[in-house]
Amino acid sequence: MTVTLADVAARAQVSPATVSRVLNGNYPVAASTRERVLRAVDELDYVLNGPASSLAAATSDLVGILVNDIADPFFGIMAGAVQSEIGGPGGRAGGERLAVVCNTGGSPERELTYLTLLQRQRAAAVVLTGGAVETPSHREAVSAKLRKLAAAGTRVVLCGRPPAPEAIALTFDNRGGGRRLTEHLIGLGHRRTGYIAGPEERTTTRHRLEGHREALAAAGLADDPRLTVHGRYDRRSGYEATLELLRREPGLTAIVAANDTVALGACAALRDSGLRIPDDVSVAGFDDLPFSIDAVPALTTVRLPLAEAGARAGRIAMGREEPPPGDIAVVRGELMVRGSTAAPKG
């Protein structure tokens, strides 16, 4: 049964006129009211009919790019690369498309809301970047949104996310990269390695941690749960987690961080604790963000080709590059060995 504007109004407990004002954006509406209306739109999966609005004729130039945190270089690099490639024939301003970067802040609810809004705007393409939330309910909800987008003619591309049957996927080999990092440390002689993981509900976190554990198992080393601490993908998390790891295991000789930003926090905590890098404790990150090579010492990490992957996702989204066979491509990382890792002393 078709959902009407009146249905949305009833769910949001506002008048149909208020719903219209929120959706058209042509009249000031209180933030709380706007949020309630958008939530109702999302819950009911309400989509404007083309004949009922001018949007159908205006939105072939719109491309949505979903990111977790645009201030994080991981997402900023990919979003910028996507935007650089979304021009092409058919747009109204010299072939350009209008890129809309949707910053979810890591909120599953905001991710669903943005997908609904992009569906309603009849976006030409949607590119989702970074890891996904693994809860079954959210995974099912996102799959439903992607199916509706694809059915309406929107091209959906996943960049750095696990494959999904509803979209074309460029997925990062986080598991393989995590395994190579830990193999590198084991090869140097490290046997007590702490691991600072990202948020537990994220696919990127799980895959990188699985790679770490695979390397430990292959070397016959026990996976001590006390040596793994979960946190956010930010510097403060790396700092606090390192202090906790040192409290749990003062004899730690190496730390693998969830990403390069977390690794910087780990390095700061080690220095503040009177420890030298890599003389006392080696540190490794992940992603090879631009600042990694300029850290002191330069950071051992796994380089992910973020700009190249983002640019390719943009070309695929615009139909200017053929999708990979089976609509899935695995983008592999490269181990970058630098000064932050060395053999343990003693």
Side-chain angles (χ1 to χ4, degrees), residues 25-173:
N26 59 2
Y27 192 85
V29 177
S32 58
T33 301
R34 175 181 173 80
E35 191 66 31
R36 198 161 69 247
V37 169
L38 290 177
R39 190 181 308 115
V41 167
D42 186 42
E43 291 171 351
L44 295 174
D45 205 16
Y46 175 68
V47 180
L48 284 173
N49 290 325
S53 85
S54 61
L55 291 174
T59 53
S60 61
D61 294 337
L62 178 66
V63 176
I65 307 170
L66 270 68
V67 300
N68 189 335
D69 181 5
I70 194 62
D72 184 332
F74 177 92
F75 294 100
I77 291 169
M78 281 194 289
V82 172
Q83 186 169 4
S84 71
E85 292 288 341
I86 64 172
R92 289 171 178 71
E96 293 298 321
R97 299 323 202 264
L98 174 63
V100 177
V101 178
C102 306
N103 197 82
T104 69
S107 165
E109 293 76 18
R110 294 305 299 168
E111 182 172 76
L112 292 172
T113 296
Y114 282 132
L115 290 174
T116 297
L117 293 174
L118 290 167
Q119 179 191 356
R120 181 167 59 82
Q121 295 287 331
R122 288 173 168 77
V126 173
V127 180
L128 294 88
T129 65
V133 173
E134 292 204 286
T135 57
S137 59
H138 183 67
R139 187 167 58 244
E140 291 170 9
V142 169
S143 293
K145 296 291 183 189
L146 298 187
R147 283 195 298 271
K148 288 181 179 295
L149 283 162
T154 297
R155 236 171 137 79
V156 182
V157 182
L158 309 178
C159 186
R161 288 174 77 117
E166 305 84 10
I168 301 162
L170 304 179
T171 182
F172 295 146
D173 183 20

Side-chain angles (χ1 to χ4, degrees), residues 176-201:
R179 183 174 59 249
R180 285 190 291 278
L181 263 183
T182 300
E183 286 173 346
H184 164 66
L185 291 170
I186 293 171
L188 291 173
H190 293 279
R191 297 297 180 267
R192 299 299 288 168
T193 299
Y195 193 96
I196 305 174
E200 293 186 70
E201 71 278 5

Side-chain angles (χ1 to χ4, degrees), residues 187-247:
L188 291 173
H190 293 279
R191 297 297 180 267
R192 299 299 288 168
T193 299
Y195 193 96
I196 305 174
E200 293 186 70
E201 71 278 5
R202 293 277 165 181
T203 53
T204 300
T205 299
R206 178 170 63 83
H207 293 159
R208 292 181 182 183
L209 184 53
E210 285 175 350
H212 168 71
R213 288 170 171 165
E214 287 173 6
L216 292 177
L221 299 176
D223 176 27
D224 185 345
R226 296 184 311 113
L227 297 185
T228 297
V229 177
H230 286 271
R232 301 171 305 280
Y233 285 116
D234 59 27
R235 182 186 181 279
R236 181 176 178 180
S237 175
Y239 189 98
E240 294 174 348
T242 297
L243 296 181
E244 176 61 20
L245 285 170
L246 290 173
R247 185 191 67 78

